């Protein structure tokens, strides 16, 4: 058993825990989005508790007027956080646990992927480069960018799964590859889009025939991956036109190009965009430069050579897209503008520069282990100054569930016909605007608001919920016309009732687009389970034949 233990993996796990010691302190650490993630998780978990498998509406946010933010923000981190909360952790600790587990697993998956090409010792160094890149700690302790942080975990998992599929054309590998891709798509939509070109080129590094089992399985994996995540990305992409996204983020990218010198060395701060460090890491620069020299001197066309070449090309492409000289590309390619900040491409420089660490495998075996040991030690020492937080928030779950008033973004997810955020807290839920009526609240969940109303004369009501496609008002099982563009009740749901007794149900349901996306995801899930079942039956028959 001792011989079977992967000691380098165990050491990697222990090293990955060291930078996480600030998470052990009580409370949430102060960072750009740390409060937001707790509030989002609270709203997400509440929606799950109300029976919504796909939470889309945050009923308690925006001062109680609700918000569609859950439709547009990466759900994977919130599903993970909800699992921790279900197991008994507070929302604050659930967010911290998601950060911690994602960080540790990112190193594990990179180690497993790198092992496909190099020895365990070199794979250990590559994983350490991936874990301890400065931007990883910007994401963790400065920005608290939970979605990006989780995406860092999934990127090497996707590469590992697709490489396994390339090596073994088996249906079970199709499942792993498609599920990993789907996880990345729901981990962070922007990072997934940035990563896709890298993945597609990576796939074509290896010999493929135009019509072969390999290319059929790879294509099936990609299609199934996108289909499985369709419930999130399709509505998020197409229904974004109903929000202030394109207005709020207009030309935001043009103000956020880092300087070239900041990629080499920049001061460590907890400031906002372009104030925090965008350095790539001295050792990361070192392995990139060594890789370039190696490729110039050696032109052996094997998989390792091609992966190094791909990593170098992606590294410098990412650098270029983060430089103001690429402004003309950003202006012409509107999909890039959805990323909002050019420095987001640091996620690709972390991935590609870490993979350049594979070049160590070309050094003689005698020097290799000593070099890995010394470089790993230097890497840990250089990263220690980044293992710090800017203090802690003295707030409990009660604050984020009952008192938090924001929308958790800067307004980009707010409906176009509404304001960025409601300034006063919702008080009555359903109010009489004109007429006479008695109102009794029956129930109010994240997506169902129910009232008993007695109307004396024709009355106009305002339901204190921001309208977004999917909201409907039903009176005694009769659908009512609604208005949401009254300047006096901007963005809120208003409707009329005639005299009588009414049971009012204000319901947030799925639009046709969301239903289509759900059906596609469900169909792909059925296909995946069918493949799993077929693979298990095939394996069982093979075992039976072998042992007869």
């Amino acid at each position: 058993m001792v011989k079977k233990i992967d000691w380098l993996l165990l050491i990697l796990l222990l090293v990955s825990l060291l930078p996480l010691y600030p998470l052990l302190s009580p409370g949430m650490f102060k960072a750009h989005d740390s409060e937001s993630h707790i509030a989002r998780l609270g709203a997400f978990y509440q929606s799950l508790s109300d029976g919504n498998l796909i939470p889309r509406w945050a009923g308690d946010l925006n001062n109680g007027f609700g918000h569609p933010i859950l439709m547009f923000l990466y759900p994977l981190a919130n599903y993970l956080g909800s699992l921790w909360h279900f197991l008994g952790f507070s929302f604050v600790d659930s967010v911290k646990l998601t950060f911690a587990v994602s960080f540790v697993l990112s190193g594990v998956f990179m180690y497993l992927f790198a092992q496909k090409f190099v020895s365990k010792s070199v794979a250990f160094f590559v994983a350490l480069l991936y874990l301890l890149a400065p931007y990883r700690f910007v994401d963790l302790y400065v920005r608290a960018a939970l979605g990006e942080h989780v995406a860092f975990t999934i990127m090497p998992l996707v590469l590992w799964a697709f490489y396994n599929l390339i090596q073994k054309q088996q249906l079970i590998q199709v499942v792993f590859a498609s599920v990993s891709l789907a996880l990345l798509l729901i981990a962070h939509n922007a990072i997934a889009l940035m990563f896709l070109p890298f993945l597609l080129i990576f796939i074509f590094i290896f010999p493929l025939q135009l019509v072969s089992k390999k290319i059929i399985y790879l294509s099936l994996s990609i299609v199934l991956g996108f289909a499985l995540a369709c419930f999130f990305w399709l509505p998020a992409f197409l229904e974004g036109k109903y929000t202030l996204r394109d207005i709020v983020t207009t030309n935001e990218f043009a103000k956020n190009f880092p300087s070239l010198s900041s990629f080499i060395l920049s001061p460590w701060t907890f400031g906002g965009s372009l104030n925090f460090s965008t350095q790539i890491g001295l050792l990361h620069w070192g392995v990139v430069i060594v890789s370039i020299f190696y490729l110039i001197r050696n032109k052996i066309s094997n998989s390792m050579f091609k992966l190094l070449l791909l990593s170098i090309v992606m590294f410098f492409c990412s650098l270029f897209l983060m430089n103001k000289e690429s402004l003309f590309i950003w202006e012409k390619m509107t999909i890039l503008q959805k990323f909002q900040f050019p420095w987001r491409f640091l996620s690709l420089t972390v991935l590609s520069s870490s993979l350049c660490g594979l070049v160590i495998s070309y050094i003689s075996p005698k020097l290799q282990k000593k070099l890995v040991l010394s470089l790993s030690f230097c890497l840990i020492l250089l990263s220690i100054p980044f293992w710090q937080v800017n203090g802690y928030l003295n707030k409990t779950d009660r604050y984020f569930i009952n008192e938090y008033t924001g929308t958790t973004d800067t307004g980009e997810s707010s409906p176009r016909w509404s304001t960025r955020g409601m300034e006063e807290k919702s008080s009555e839920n359903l109010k009489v605007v004109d007429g006479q009526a008695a109102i009794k609240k029956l129930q109010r969940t994240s997506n169902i608001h129910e009232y008993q109303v007695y109307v004396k004369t024709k009355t106009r009501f305002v339901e204190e919920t921001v309208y977004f496609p999917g909201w409907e008002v039903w009176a005694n099982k009769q659908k009512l016309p609604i208005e949401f563009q009254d300047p006096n009740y901007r963005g809120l749901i208003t409707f009329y009732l005639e005299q009588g007794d009414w049971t009012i149900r204000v319901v947030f349901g799925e639009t046709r687009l969301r239903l289509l996306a759900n059906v596609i995801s469900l169909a792909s899930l059925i296909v995946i389970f069918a493949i799993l079942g077929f693979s298990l039956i095939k394996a069982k028959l093979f075992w039976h034949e072998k042992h007869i």
Side-chain angles (χ1 to χ4, degrees):
M1 285 183 66
V2 172
K3 287 182 178 180
K4 289 182 179 180
I5 294 174
D6 190 334
W7 291 103
L8 280 175
L9 178 58
L10 185 59
I11 293 170
L12 180 67
L13 289 170
L14 293 173
V15 172
S16 65
L17 292 174
L18 295 177
L20 301 177
Y21 75 88
L23 299 181
L24 295 175
S25 297
M28 187 64 182
F29 58 90
K30 293 180 181 178
H32 299 173
D33 293 337
S34 53
E35 287 192 62
S36 300
H37 289 306
I38 302 167
R40 289 172 192 167
L41 177 57
F44 191 91
Y45 188 83
Q46 181 59 54
S47 186
L48 278 176
S49 302
D50 291 336
N52 303 305
L53 293 178
I54 305 174
R56 301 192 190 275
W57 186 261
D60 294 328
L61 296 184
N62 196 18
N63 261 318
F65 288 86
H67 205 270
I69 191 168
L70 299 181
M71 285 188 56
F72 303 102
L73 287 176
Y74 34 84
L76 180 57
N78 283 327
Y79 278 117
L80 292 173
S82 296
L83 173 62
W84 304 129
H85 187 69
F86 177 77
L87 293 175
F89 294 94
S90 68
F91 286 121
V92 172
D93 288 339
S94 295
V95 171
K96 289 162 70 176
L97 263 172
T98 304
F99 272 117
V101 172
S102 300
F103 185 78
V104 172
L105 288 180
S106 68
V108 172
F109 291 142
M110 180 56 88
Y111 176 75
L112 294 173
F113 171 64
Q115 262 193 74
K116 296 292 181 179
F117 299 89
V118 294
S119 65
K120 288 184 177 182
S121 59
V122 178
F124 173 84
F125 178 62
V126 171
L128 215 56
L129 282 169
Y130 193 61
L131 275 172
L132 302 181
Y135 185 65
R136 296 295 306 275
F137 298 104
V138 171
D139 255 7
L140 176 55
Y141 291 135
V142 178
R143 297 181 57 225
L146 187 57
E148 282 191 26
H149 196 77
V150 173
F152 270 113
T153 306
I154 310 299
M155 284 191 287
L157 175 64
V158 173
L159 292 174
W160 182 41
F162 272 86
Y163 184 77
N164 286 336
L165 175 58
I166 291 167
Q167 296 300 107
K168 302 175 183 177
Q169 288 86 59
Q170 299 172 342
L171 285 173
I172 193 70
Q173 301 296 342
V174 170
V175 171
F176 292 148
S178 58
V179 169
S180 67
L181 180 58
L183 289 174
L184 181 61
L185 289 166
I186 65 173
H188 198 283
N189 29 6
I191 300 300
L193 281 176
M194 291 179 191
F195 175 76
L196 281 174
F198 187 98
L199 174 63
L200 293 174
I201 298 171
F202 170 78
I203 289 171
F204 286 98
I205 282 175
F206 307 96
L208 296 171
Q209 295 178 356
L210 188 60
V211 179
S212 68
K213 190 176 182 181
K214 185 182 291 186
I215 201 166
I216 291 171
Y217 278 14
L218 286 167
S219 301
L220 179 61
S221 297
I222 292 171
V223 170
L224 278 177
F226 271 91
L228 190 58
C230 193
F231 73 91
F232 166 65
W233 67 262
L234 188 62
F237 183 72
L238 294 181
E239 293 193 349
K241 64 185 178 182
Y242 300 127
T243 69
L244 294 171
R245 180 184 64 191
D246 295 333
I247 298 172
V248 171
T249 60
T250 299
N251 293 324
E252 189 70 25
F253 64 91
K255 310 169 191 174
N256 284 279
F257 287 106
S259 65
L260 283 175
S261 61
S262 70
F263 296 133
I264 300 171
L265 200 62
S266 50
W268 193 263
T269 72
F270 293 93
S273 182
L274 289 188
N275 289 316
F276 55 72
S277 177
T278 52
Q279 60 183 294
I280 290 168
L282 296 178
L283 280 177
H284 295 75
W285 274 108
V287 294
V288 170
I289 293 168
V290 170
S291 297
I292 293 171
F293 278 113
Y294 173 80
L295 293 185
I296 292 172
R297 294 185 60 181
N298 301 274
K299 296 182 180 179
I300 305 169
S301 184
N302 56 24
S303 298
M304 172 78 114
F305 183 92
K306 292 175 181 177
L307 181 55
L308 280 174
L309 179 60
L310 170 61
S311 299
I312 291 169
V313 170
M314 283 296 172
F315 179 83
F316 285 103
C317 284
S318 300
L319 279 184
F320 177 68
L321 288 172
M322 290 188 286
N323 184 264
K324 62 182 178 182
E325 298 301 324
S326 67
L327 180 61
F328 71 98
I329 297 177
W330 285 81
E331 289 174 339
K332 290 183 178 179
M333 295 183 65
T334 54
I335 194 167
L336 284 177
Q337 297 174 21
K338 302 291 189 290
F339 299 161
Q340 198 171 0
F341 307 113
W343 43 256
R344 284 193 194 278
F345 277 93
L346 281 167
S347 58
L348 279 191
T349 66
V350 171
L351 176 69
S352 53
S353 62
S354 300
L355 289 174
C356 284
L358 296 169
V359 76
I360 301 295
S361 64
Y362 291 107
I363 297 171
S364 64
K366 290 182 180 180
L367 295 174
Q368 204 176 100
K369 289 186 178 180
K370 292 181 181 179
L371 186 61
V372 166
L373 180 62
S374 57
L375 288 177
S376 298
F377 185 69
C378 290
L379 189 59
I380 293 170
L381 287 179
L382 286 171
S383 72
I384 288 175
F386 311 141
W387 306 352
Q388 56 177 306
V389 298
N390 193 28
Y392 295 89
L393 298 167
N394 187 25
K395 294 171 182 175
T396 62
D397 281 3
R398 181 184 294 274
Y399 166 79
F400 294 104
I401 301 304
N402 299 326
E403 300 176 38
Y404 187 87
T405 60
T407 61
T408 80
D409 70 3
T410 56
E412 61 265 28
S413 301
S414 298
R416 296 174 70 93
W417 43 80
S418 181
T419 58
R420 285 198 184 189
M422 293 298 179
E423 295 179 359
E424 296 181 0
K425 198 168 182 65
S426 171
S427 56
E428 298 181 51
N429 299 148
L430 183 66
K431 294 196 302 187
V432 172
V433 174
D434 182 33
Q436 290 182 302
I439 302 169
K440 180 183 179 182
K441 184 165 69 175
L442 300 179
Q443 70 161 327
R444 188 176 180 87
T445 65
S446 54
N447 62 322
I448 298 176
H449 308 160
E450 193 169 6
Y451 310 90
Q452 192 68 45
V453 178
Y454 173 69
V455 180
K456 295 181 180 179
T457 60
K458 183 177 181 179
T459 302
R460 187 185 183 203
F461 296 86
V462 58
E463 218 276 343
E464 293 187 329
T465 296
V466 172
Y467 175 78
F468 199 77
W471 279 112
E472 295 177 345
V473 179
W474 295 79
N476 292 354
K477 299 182 179 180
Q478 176 186 350
K479 186 178 177 180
L480 298 181
I482 60 176
E483 172 61 48
F484 55 88
Q485 293 182 320
D486 187 328
N488 295 317
Y489 305 97
R490 189 176 171 187
L492 301 183
I493 297 171
T494 63
F495 58 92
Y496 285 93
L497 281 176
E498 299 289 344
Q499 182 182 9
D501 287 318
W502 303 93
T503 299
I504 305 298
R505 285 173 57 85
V506 184
V507 182
F508 185 73
E510 302 285 54
T511 60
R512 290 182 180 178
L513 175 67
R514 291 174 217 156
L515 283 172
L516 173 64
N518 293 347
V519 168
I520 293 173
S521 291
L522 180 60
S524 67
L525 189 63
I526 292 171
V527 171
I528 285 171
F529 276 114
I531 292 173
L532 279 174
F534 177 78
S535 299
L536 290 172
I537 292 170
K538 188 177 179 182
K540 189 175 181 180
L541 289 173
F542 176 78
W543 184 90
H544 183 69
E545 289 175 3
K546 190 176 179 181
H547 291 83
I548 287 177

